[in-house]
Amino acid sequence: MASFADIVEALMTPSIPLVLVGILVILGAPVLLHLILASSSTYTVPPVVVVVGPENAGKTALATLLERGTRPALTHTSQVTHSVELNASTDSASKQSFRNHDDTTGTHTKFLLVDTPGHAKLRNVAMGRLGRAEKLRAVVFMVDASALGEQDTLAPTAAYLYDVLLHLQKKAAGDKAKAKAPVPLLVAANKTDLFTALPATMVKSHLEAELSRIRASKSKGLLDSGVGIDDVGSEDQDSWLGEYGSAKFVFDQMREFGIEVEVVGGSVMADEADVDKWWWWMAQRVS
Ligand SMILES: Nc1nc2c(ncn2[C@@H]2O[C@H](COP(=O)(O)OP(=O)(O)OP(=O)(O)O)[C@@H](O)[C@H]2O)c(=O)[nH]1
Ligand SMILES: [Mg+2]
C-alpha cells in the first residue's frame, strides 16, 4: 500500500508520464470547455430577420414596438444596427399577434430582429449586416407608404430595394449549391394611418414600375453599345434583376430564384398598432 507521502513524492518527481498527463490536461481543458459550451442551447445562433429600408420609414419604431409588446418608443435617426430578441410561435393561442409576451401556450422560437440605419450614407452598414447574418431567414424592407406617391421618395426607395433584391438573388444562386433555402422579402408598407398613404397594391405597382425603370437604365449602356441580348456575357446576366431580358419587372419574377416577395400594408404608430400581418409573416419564416 502506497502511503500518502509516497503518492505526493511520485507526483512531485518529474517523469515522462507525468509530464504527458500535464500537457494533456492543459491542452484538453479548453477543447473540452468549447465542446460543452457549443452543445448547450444558449450557445446556438438564433434565426435572424433583418429590417432594411430608407430613413424615416419606421424601422426603429417597429423594432421597439415588437420588443415592448405595447407601444413603440420615440425614435431618432439610427446610425448603427440594433438587435432585439423576440419570440415567435406558429402554434400558440396568440400566434398571429405580436402581443404575445405573456403567452405560455404553444412552442416559441427565439429569433433576432435586426434594425438597420436607413440613411443613404449608412447603407453599407445595413447591407453588410445583411451579408453577414449567419442564419438569415427573412428580410423586411420597410417603406413609408404615405411618401411613396412622390417621385422624390419613390426613386431612392426603389433604388435601395433594387440593391437588396439583387443581393438576395445572387445569394440565392450561391446558396443553392449549399442546399440552403432562398431568403424571402416582405415589403412592409408602413404609415397607412396617414391619409396620403398608398394602399399596398399601389405601393407594389409603383415600386415595380420604378424598379423596371432602374433596371432598364442599368442595362441601357450595354444594349446601346450594339450587343444583342444573346451576346451578353453570363456575368451581365447574373446582375440582371428578375427574368432576364424581360421589359417590365414584377416581383413575381423573383420566384424564378425561389424568392417570394410580398407587399403588405400596416402601421406602427396607429392608435391600435397594425403590424400583426407582418408579425405573422415573420413568425412563419423563423419557426
Ligand atoms: N404616422 C405614422 N408615423 C410613423 C409610423 N411609423 C413610424 N412613424 C414615425 O416616423 C418617424 C421615423 O421613424 P423611425 O422608426 O425612426 O424610422 P427609421 O426607419 O428607423 O429611420 P432611420 O433610423 O433614419 O433609418 C418617427 O417620427 C415615427 O414616429 C406610422 O405607422 N405612422
Ligand atoms: Mg431607425
Side-chain angles (χ1 to χ4, degrees):
M1 235 346 235
S3 72
F4 177 70
D6 287 341
I7 296 171
V8 172
E9 201 188 322
L11 283 175
M12 291 308 205
T13 320
S15 70
I16 298 285
L18 203 68
V19 168
L20 286 180
V21 168
I23 289 174
L24 205 70
V25 168
I26 289 167
L27 294 183
V31 174
L32 205 68
L33 202 66
H34 170 82
L35 288 178
I36 292 169
L37 284 178
S39 64
S40 70
S41 61
T42 51
Y43 201 70
T44 54
V45 195
V48 171
V49 176
V50 178
V51 186
V52 292
E55 66 270 27
N56 209 39
K59 300 178 295 295
T60 307
L62 175 70
T64 58
L65 171 73
L66 297 180
E67 184 177 31
R68 296 169 169 204
T70 50
R71 293 200 64 76
L74 286 176
T75 66
H76 47 81
T77 303
S78 307
Q79 299 192 10
V80 290
T81 61
H82 168 75
S83 307
V84 296
E85 209 178 276
L86 301 169
N87 290 291
S89 170
T90 50
D91 60 2
S92 71
S94 64
K95 61 186 182 192
Q96 305 220 10
S97 169
F98 74 94
R99 297 179 203 275
N100 69 349
H101 291 214
D102 302 320
D103 191 350
T104 50
T105 65
T107 50
H108 288 257
T109 310
K110 184 169 84 179
F111 74 100
L112 280 187
L113 187 83
V114 183
D115 172 32
T116 61
H119 194 282
K121 289 194 172 146
L122 298 168
R123 292 279 158 81
N124 55 340
V125 176
M127 292 301 281
R129 191 65 186 81
L130 207 57
R132 261 200 333 277
E134 201 179 310
K135 273 192 167 180
L136 183 65
R137 289 289 178 273
V139 173
V140 175
F141 189 88
M142 198 166 214
V143 301
D144 177 350
S146 74
L148 270 196
E150 289 156 42
Q151 190 63 22
D152 284 355
T153 307
L154 179 63
T157 300
Y160 190 7
L161 180 56
Y162 182 95
D163 291 344
V164 173
L165 283 174
L166 194 59
H167 172 83
L168 292 182
Q169 179 180 315
K170 286 181 174 172
K171 180 173 153 54
D175 282 352
K176 208 171 166 184
K178 290 180 242 156
K180 281 209 273 181
V183 177
L185 181 133
L186 172 73
V187 178
N190 191 29
K191 308 201 188 182
T192 50
D193 57 297
L194 300 176
F195 80 99
T196 49
L198 302 176
T201 47
M202 293 270 279
V203 168
K204 183 166 186 264
S205 58
H206 274 56
L207 285 173
E208 284 177 339
E210 190 61 28
L211 286 166
S212 302
R213 227 184 321 250
I214 294 171
R215 192 177 65 176
S217 74
K218 288 207 196 259
S219 63
K220 197 166 187 312
L222 196 69
L223 296 176
D224 275 359
S225 66
V227 246
I229 212 142
D230 298 330
D231 309 328
V232 174
S234 72
E235 203 173 294
D236 300 307
Q237 220 175 94
D238 287 345
S239 41
W240 178 285
L241 186 68
E243 185 193 332
Y244 189 60
S246 58
K248 200 176 169 308
F249 174 82
V250 288
F251 287 128
D252 265 351
Q253 291 175 4
M254 298 308 289
R255 287 190 188 282
E256 199 178 307
F257 306 90
I259 300 168
E260 45 155 345
V261 181
E262 268 185 71
V263 184
V264 179
S267 169
V268 177
M269 289 295 196
D271 291 338
E272 191 65 28
D274 174 18
V275 303
D276 281 342
K277 285 200 199 96
W278 302 339
W279 175 257
W280 180 231
W281 184 91
M282 289 186 245
Q284 289 169 291
R285 273 142 197 99
V286 295
S287 299

